[in-house]
């Protein structure tokens, strides 16, 4: 197998990043509800002209809350999946086993990070924001799919967090500083995860026939469809949360406009930005050039 990176370097980079959940949130570190939480090119609230500026900020914060919940959901299946993959690798290469264990430990920290931010959000936001779930049921559905499908979905999510930071978060100075800190610190650790995931995808595929690999990629696509349905439902929840928080009842036409624009914004945030990432496509290319081409053509539907 040819590795694209050294496990020793990957572990060394991970070990130099030493933030704790308590450094980012809790105590006197409180969210500032006068500011947006999500960058505009993920939230896409400014195009909803029937909302005034304050209502757009409220919707942006509702989307931020959903981001915390959705990452809580995905980390919930990534953690056991990585641990399972790491178990047979515990002997043979010390740096490799330590790199995967570090990866799992960081994901456990991220679960706690997103949960703690959600608790802070709930303390400061006036009304309830419903989210898709429960996480255990979503996780059970994902983990019942072929390992290659789960590894690809995870890889897509890892590259997605890199893109969110580089294209949307890094240069946005108007965000709530704590929420920006969350996104920045998550990004730092996800780069190592993306490299380890790419390796995991390759290792899993090496034991499979061409037909099995193609079936695994199809199962990854079906998982994309499963999450797209979830995002459609989340968009409905966000609409209801916005009406509750603002006390407004929007018209049927406004509702339809909201649903279409916000579902598409969610698709870009959680699916398209990862699916079309050049390094995700490169990983697919190594598995099946034909499937890579198909997915690349499909990606604009989620942009
Ligand atoms: Fe994470
Ligand atoms: Fe990760």
């Amino acid at each position: 197998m040819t590795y694209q990176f050294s496990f020793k370097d990957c572990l060394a980079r991970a070990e130099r990043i030493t933030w704790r959940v308590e450094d980012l949130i809790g105590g006197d570190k409180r969210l500032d509800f006068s500011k947006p939480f999500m960058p505009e090119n993920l939230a896409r609230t400014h195009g909803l002209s029937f909302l005034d500026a304050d209502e757009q900020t409220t919707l942006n914060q509702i989307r931020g809350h959903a981001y915390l919940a959705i990452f809580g959901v995905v980390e919930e299946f990534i953690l056991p999946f990585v641990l399972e993959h790491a178990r047979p690798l515990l002997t043979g290469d010390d740096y490799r086993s330590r790199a995967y264990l570090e990866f799992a430990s960081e994901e456990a920290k991220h679960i706690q990070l997103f949960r703690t931010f959600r608790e802070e959000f709930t303390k400061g936001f006036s009304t309830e924001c419903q989210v898709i779930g429960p996480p255990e049921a979503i996780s059970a559905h994902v983990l019942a799919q072929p390992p290659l499908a789960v590894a690809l979905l995870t890889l897509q999510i890892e590259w997605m967090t890199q893109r969110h930071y580089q294209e949307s978060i890094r240069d946005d100075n108007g965000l709530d500083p704590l929420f920006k800190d969350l996104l920045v610190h998550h990004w730092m650790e996800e780069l190592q995860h993306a490299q380890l995931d790419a390796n995991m995808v390759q290792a899993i595929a090496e034991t499979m026939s061409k037909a099995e690999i193609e079936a695994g990629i199809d199962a990854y696509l079906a998982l994309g469809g499963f999450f797209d349905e979830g995002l459609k439902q989340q968009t409905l929840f966000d609409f209801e949360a916005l009406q509750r928080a603002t006390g407004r009842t929007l018209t049927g036409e406004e509702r339809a406009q909201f649903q279409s624009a916000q579902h598409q914004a969610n698709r870009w945030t959680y699916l398209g930005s990862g699916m079309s990432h050049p390094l995700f496509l490169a990983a697919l290319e190594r598995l099946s050039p034909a499937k890579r081409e198909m997915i690349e053509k499909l990606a604009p539907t989620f942009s």
Side-chain angles (χ1 to χ4, degrees):
M1 181 189 298
T2 44
Y3 297 125
Q4 308 297 310
F5 63 93
S6 131
F7 285 109
K8 186 180 177 184
D9 290 347
C10 189
L11 178 67
R13 267 184 280 121
E15 285 179 330
R16 277 195 292 271
I17 302 168
T18 56
W19 58 266
R20 303 171 316 145
V21 173
E22 296 76 9
D23 299 331
L24 304 190
I25 190 77
D28 59 356
K29 292 185 273 301
R30 314 297 294 271
L31 295 164
D32 179 353
F33 283 89
S34 70
K35 290 185 166 16
F37 294 170
M38 295 289 285
E40 171 58 20
N41 59 3
L42 298 182
R44 298 186 189 171
T45 64
H46 293 176
L48 300 172
S49 54
F50 52 87
L51 301 179
D52 67 24
D54 286 347
E55 290 164 342
Q56 288 176 358
T57 302
T58 300
L59 173 60
N60 178 299
Q61 291 164 356
I62 291 168
R63 288 285 309 282
H65 176 265
Y67 193 91
L68 300 173
I70 289 170
F71 267 94
V73 163
V74 300
E75 305 275 20
E76 198 89 27
F77 71 75
I78 292 174
L79 174 58
F81 184 73
V82 173
L83 272 179
E84 206 168 308
H85 179 78
R87 179 170 270 282
L89 303 179
L90 293 180
T91 52
D93 180 336
D94 292 337
Y95 287 117
R96 182 180 64 184
S97 57
R98 287 178 58 204
Y100 277 106
L101 289 172
E102 176 79 18
F103 175 3
S105 160
E106 286 168 3
E107 295 296 32
K109 180 172 71 171
H110 298 172
I111 290 174
Q112 191 186 4
L113 175 74
F114 288 114
R115 184 183 296 132
T116 312
F117 262 82
R118 263 187 86 186
E119 285 163 6
E120 279 296 320
F121 181 97
T122 306
K123 276 188 221 161
F125 198 76
S126 56
T127 46
E128 195 211 342
C129 299
Q130 214 179 333
V131 288
I132 51 171
E136 302 76 26
I138 296 176
S139 179
H141 175 77
V142 172
L143 292 173
Q145 308 311 311
L148 183 62
V150 185
L152 281 171
L153 178 65
T154 307
L155 183 64
Q156 179 209 288
I157 293 164
E158 311 288 12
W159 284 126
M160 174 182 108
T161 63
Q162 297 304 293
R163 193 163 197 177
H164 288 178
Y165 175 74
Q166 286 159 342
E167 291 182 9
S168 307
I169 298 157
R170 185 174 49 200
D171 300 324
D172 192 330
N173 297 317
L175 300 179
D176 163 59
L178 292 194
F179 213 92
K180 182 167 179 173
D181 249 11
L182 160 108
L183 298 168
V184 170
H185 286 78
H186 191 225
W187 159 80
M188 283 180 194
E189 293 187 333
E190 291 299 317
L191 176 60
Q192 284 67 249
H193 299 186
Q195 293 177 328
L196 292 167
D197 271 332
N199 183 262
M200 210 191 307
V201 164
Q202 234 178 302
I204 292 168
E206 274 178 7
T207 65
M208 299 167 75
S209 69
K210 189 168 179 264
E212 286 169 336
I213 289 174
E214 294 195 340
I217 297 173
D218 289 343
Y220 150 76
L221 277 172
L223 277 175
F226 170 75
F227 275 96
D228 191 33
E229 279 305 306
L231 295 175
K232 202 189 274 180
Q233 178 60 51
Q234 186 59 53
T235 308
L236 287 170
F237 286 153
D238 291 351
F239 179 81
E240 287 159 11
L242 178 69
Q243 291 203 127
R244 267 196 300 276
T246 58
R248 266 187 79 180
T249 304
L250 295 165
T251 66
E253 199 181 311
E254 289 164 342
R255 184 191 179 101
Q257 213 181 316
F258 180 101
Q259 184 64 27
S260 148
Q262 283 291 295
H263 180 214
Q264 203 59 28
N266 274 311
R267 282 177 145 184
W268 169 249
T269 304
Y270 301 104
L271 298 170
S273 56
M275 271 171 90
S276 62
H277 193 291
L279 292 169
F280 178 71
L281 291 171
L284 279 173
E285 177 78 28
R286 286 193 288 274
L287 301 181
S288 163
K291 293 284 180 193
R292 174 227 153 99
E293 201 189 327
M294 185 187 92
I295 289 170
E296 200 172 7
K297 281 195 183 134
L298 196 64
T301 312
F302 300 97
S303 68

